[in-house]
Amino acid sequence: MKIPLFNWRRIVVVIALLVFWEAAVKISGVSPIMVPPLESVIASLIGGIRDFTLISSTWATLKNLLIAMGIGLVIAVALNMLAFVSIWARETLQTLAAALNPLPAIALLPVAFLWFGAGDASLLFVLVNSVVWAMALNIFTGFSTVPVTLRNVGRIMGLKGMALFRHVYVPAALPYIYTGIKISWAFGWRTVIAAELVFGATASSNGGLGWRIFVNRFNLDSEGTFAGLLTIVIIGLLIEACFQQVERCTIQRWGMADR
Amino acid sequence: MNEASLCLDGVGIRYRLGASDFVAVENVSLEIKSGERVMLLGPSGCGKSSLLKVIAGFQKPATGEVRSNGRKITEPGPDRFVVFQEFDQLFPWKTVLGNVADCIRLTRKLPRAEAASRAAKILDMVGLAGYFDFYPHTLSGGMKQRVAIARAWSVDPAILLMDEPFAALDAQTRASLQDETVKIWREARRTLIFVTHSIDEALYLGDKIVVMGRSPGRVLRIFDNPFAETRDQPESAELRHQIRALLAGNQVAAEEMR
């Protein structure tokens, strides 16, 4: 994952792919409803930005995911604090995470529907489940692999309890905490789009990007559907670039990235 | 007021090894005066590092106790700062200056600026003037140990414990860090307890050399060393020979017992 997102080769490849798309559509004469030409997709994208609907859809999706990740982080940290104190809590955390992490979050949609009905609560439930286990497991690994020498140095300095936690455990576990957040973002981003396809209509906000591509398809607005997909790809890439930047300024700078 | 600054009273250390106990150290009693430099010298397995862990407060002795200024030691604290052998004892997320300054700030509750200027002074002393903003992973092993020594002295501990801090360094770097240790000790005159398996290191750095043996770990003999701060004095050959013979004798005895 050390490849920078925007080097010149990558830009060449992206342009080539776009040219291929445009050429394939023009030469094959495929119906623009099946595969719309690039220029109309971009026009739809710009239109969506102009009339603000695309921006508000994107914001709705990101907001839901950020809230879920916030809740997930709080739960993951709380579970880890319990696991720190009690061996039974540790076993419970590991069992739950092992059981629920491989479960595709979207498979919980029917249960969410049953418990919370159609709406924001169901969406959040599914999203939190998709992010919390990767976070909890990584934080757990992070805390349990803090080098003994560093823990001992903290104790020599007279640090105990929360102070030891804050000054030694949290920074030493940062590479793992960071990995947890990165992985749960990747899980969550996939889940939120899928969940919006189902819950978008009933959500209090405008339904997000997932609902937007669903509705556009329903209205035979293929340009809009593709513009939505393109937006999802672009946001994904931008967030990934942000993660790399943060990594460069912190754990890579400290020589902690390769552990 | 006759109690020595550090007093080891019948200290025994055991580790659980399966069903039985393994005796690492048996019945060690030592009195160390304030400002004294004491070397714990012996082969691996003689319990010298275990003894240091007990003095640091990381481990409880199975028998006996350790008293510092008359108070029983029960937990680690900044009054007995440790320099470890491991190069990863610095916090990687802090700069060289940050490692030392934050240590001062946390242990002595000094304001940030004051802690930083104290830290800078000590780092200058150990020859790290140009490296304040470097992160530990960019430093060589010798420089990391310099920072660790600076950090330990910066809190002005009553006792400094050094656990083979130079064992993993090349000969030149080791010699220069030994000089650094002498220099800083002269400045502060604090008690120094130094674990080593090198007779030369013990002769150069110690006022007192506690020679330890194996099976079980115990003190064989304590030597006064008048040759501290000198290297390769012809007069030190006799003492060097005595220590070597003592260690060799213990080695043979330990092997015959197996």
Side-chain angles (χ1 to χ4, degrees), chain A residues 175-220:
Chain A
Y176 286 97
I177 296 173
Y178 182 74
T179 303
I181 291 175
K182 230 164 55 173
I183 293 176
S184 59
W185 151 264
F187 283 171
W189 183 236
R190 285 154 182 73
T191 306
V192 70
I193 302 293
E196 280 171 351
L197 289 173
V198 180
F199 285 118
T202 52
S204 57
S205 49
N206 64 13
L209 282 169
W211 184 241
R212 184 182 172 90
I213 56 177
F214 186 78
V215 168
N216 284 340
R217 201 272 317 165
F218 195 75
N219 295 334
L220 290 184

Side-chain angles (χ1 to χ4, degrees), chain B residues 214-228:
Chain B
R214 298 192 293 159
S215 310
R218 64 195 186 281
V219 174
L220 297 176
R221 206 174 141 186
I222 301 172
F223 293 92
D224 283 319
N225 174 31
F227 307 108

